[in-house]
Amino acid sequence: MASRITAKGLAEATPAARDRYVDLLRVASLGTVVLGHWLMAAVTVAEGDRRVEMGNLLAVQPGLQVLTWVLQVMPVFFFVGGFSHALSYRSLARRTQGPVYAVFLRGRLQRLLRPTGVFVAVWGGGALVVQAIGGEGETAGVAARLVTQPLWFIGIYLAMVAFTPPLLRLHQRYGWAAFAALVAAAAAVDVLRFVAGVPYAEFLNFAFVWLAVHQLGFLRADGRLRRPALLAGGGLAGAVALVGLGPYPLSMVGMPGERISNMAPPTLALLCHGMWLVGAVELLRGPGTRLVARPRAWRAVVAANGIAMTAFLWHLTAMLAVYAALLAAGVTPPVPASTAWWAQAPLRLAAAAVVTALLVTVFRRAERPPATGPTATRRLGGPVAAAGVTLALLGVLGLSLVGFGGLWHGHTALLVAVPVTAPAAVLMTVGGWGLVELAARVRAGHDARHGMLEE
């Protein structure tokens, strides 16, 4: 049974032709994001009313923002996603007769939305109970909104899944020109935004910027990233020029209160940053490949891949739990970025890691791919699957914005220009997932072992 498969067994069963370095990049990029979120949290307690405030270390110490040019590694994860999606879609097309789009979407949504669904159910249910009994104070409300913010990543990733088949066809026909077209589109959007002042145009770069990075994964899958130094150098030079001469901020992550963000919506500067990072990790491919060739290191990577999504979903919950425990014990956090704050940082990070490990132990089962066989579900086709994944990704993005605060009061947030509530976002996600399930007909011979290793 799939539940009995161990990391050691999976590692030993790894095909010789598998690109293990890609798996290492996936784990390392998510791990860096988690560590960055833990470290950037700047919790303070007001002296007068003892009100707890959640800030950002990069706002307290702006000089540290330059570190985001190395530590903002989400583009690497999306690059790895492009590589994996290209291989997976082609493999599925070879093994499946007829259209495969709905089947491809179904497999990806299961891997992403099963652990996400558990997270939403636990946090949403808990928030409803707390708010029903009148226990939601200002601090609890901030926490209920904060924990959903990383869900934006899942929404964007679902968009990449949805666009994989058509963009893969463009890649197969045009190669680097398809990537260049996405870069040009991202640049055009920034011109419309900053020069022409066209309202809402900037939101198009949620697609163009991240899909361009994703497209680099297609090129990697076909062995066409032959000059990583040129990609890294060009991307870095472009980012430096745009930040130095244009309206783009230094930080490659979002900052509280900033008028312009490189992240939300993404900018051409962030795309150049992504190109620099992709080129850089490709330059490290040799030593990275040698590292994961070692059995012990590869077992660690396989084990981490099996829990990565669960850890990502729950890592902010763990961080909040650590700070809540400190405050409950009467420990006032030091002033952010002070000597005492930095001295305590290793202990806070270690505590957050321990709590995350406990949460992973409880919730990791949802991340295991289900061992499904053939069903009698009617295949309704690609258009229904496309509508379903669109509904699901909009629901996840909406939930990332609105959070779980003010559920009984109908708290809303703007998704582009449309107000959305948490219940509506959840219904959109579940409804979209259901449409994809209806559109796909699962075939016999699903291999849980292959699924756990695939992504």
Side-chain angles (χ1 to χ4, degrees):
M1 296 177 60
S3 60
R4 296 179 180 174
I5 298 175
T6 65
K8 181 179 179 181
L10 286 168
E12 292 174 349
T14 302
R18 184 177 183 85
D19 193 331
R20 301 183 181 192
Y21 182 56
V22 168
D23 296 279
L24 174 62
L25 290 179
R26 180 185 295 115
V27 170
S29 57
L30 274 187
T32 301
V33 170
V34 168
L35 182 63
H37 285 170
W38 287 343
L39 193 59
M40 285 192 299
V43 175
T44 57
V45 179
E47 292 185 4
D49 55 9
R50 303 294 295 173
R51 186 180 62 201
V52 179
E53 297 180 352
M54 180 71 72
N56 190 311
L57 177 66
L58 299 180
V60 177
Q61 286 279 18
L64 295 177
Q65 293 179 17
V66 70
L67 295 179
T68 62
W69 287 50
V70 177
L71 299 179
Q72 164 51 302
V73 295
M74 196 57 83
V76 175
F77 189 91
F78 291 145
F79 161 67
V80 169
F83 175 90
S84 299
H85 293 159
L87 297 186
S88 298
Y89 186 82
R90 288 168 175 170
S91 174
L92 185 62
R94 288 193 298 267
R95 293 183 283 110
T96 305
Q97 294 182 352
V100 299
Y101 184 65
V103 181
F104 175 73
L105 290 185
R106 181 184 190 269
R108 298 292 156 172
L109 261 66
Q110 283 186 341
R111 294 300 305 276
L112 289 168
L113 294 186
R114 289 178 78 244
T116 303
V118 172
F119 172 81
V120 170
V122 172
W123 257 102
L128 275 173
V129 172
V130 169
Q131 293 166 33
I133 63 177
E136 184 187 36
E138 183 176 351
T139 302
V142 171
R145 289 188 290 271
L146 178 66
V147 293
T148 64
Q149 289 181 4
L151 294 181
W152 74 267
F153 147 78
I154 294 176
I156 296 298
Y157 201 77
L158 287 175
M160 294 178 177
V161 171
F163 279 104
T164 287
L167 288 181
L168 188 57
R169 286 193 292 271
L170 289 176
H171 158 74
Q172 290 168 174
R173 182 170 183 179
Y174 299 107
W176 276 98
F179 167 75
L182 288 169
V183 174
V189 167
D190 274 12
V191 170
L192 293 175
R193 175 185 182 183
F194 296 120
V195 178
V198 177
Y200 302 115
E202 63 267 27
F203 292 104
L204 292 172
N205 266 350
F206 276 113
F208 293 137
V209 168
W210 292 125
L211 287 175
V213 176
H214 189 251
Q215 201 82 3
L216 287 173
F218 295 168
L219 292 160
R220 168 69 156 74
D222 287 347
R224 301 185 67 175
L225 283 181
R226 301 187 185 96
R227 297 181 179 178
L230 184 61
L231 182 66
L236 184 58
V240 169
L242 289 170
V243 170
L245 302 176
Y248 306 94
L250 174 65
S251 175
M252 291 298 165
V253 301
M255 298 297 299
E258 63 184 355
R259 187 177 63 87
I260 297 174
S261 169
N262 280 321
M263 275 288 293
T267 63
L268 182 61
L270 183 66
L271 176 52
C272 289
H273 169 70
M275 293 164 59
W276 133 249
L277 283 182
V278 169
V281 298
E282 281 296 285
L283 289 172
L284 296 173
R285 184 175 178 179
T289 300
R290 290 191 291 273
L291 173 64
V292 289
R294 302 174 182 175
R296 184 175 298 179
W298 177 236
R299 284 197 300 271
V301 169
V302 171
N305 261 314
I307 61 170
M309 187 56 59
T310 304
F312 178 78
L313 286 167
W314 290 97
H315 76 280
L316 287 184
T317 303
M319 181 197 72
L320 292 171
V322 169
Y323 275 108
L326 289 173
L327 294 171
V331 178
T332 301
V335 175
S338 65
T339 302
W341 189 92
W342 284 110
Q344 290 183 9
L347 293 177
R348 292 195 303 270
L349 295 178
V354 169
V355 177
T356 300
L358 293 174
L359 291 170
V360 166
T361 301
V362 174
F363 298 113
R364 65 180 297 179
R365 188 176 297 274
E367 194 162 351
R368 297 173 182 173
T372 54
T375 70
T377 304
R378 180 184 177 188
R379 178 183 293 187
L380 300 179
V384 173
V389 73
T390 301
L391 194 62
L393 71 89
L394 289 175
V396 173
L397 288 174
L399 190 58
S400 75
L401 293 172
V402 72
F404 296 115
L407 292 177
W408 291 103
H409 305 295
H411 172 70
T412 64
L414 284 180
L415 179 60
V416 184
V418 179
V420 61
T421 64
V426 172
L427 287 175
M428 289 168 64
T429 304
V430 174
W433 189 3
L435 285 177
V436 174
E437 290 286 337
L438 284 175
R441 183 174 182 271
V442 183
R443 299 184 180 275
H446 176 84
D447 187 345
R449 179 183 298 245
H450 171 74
M452 292 181 73
L453 266 175
E454 184 178 14
E455 185 175 77

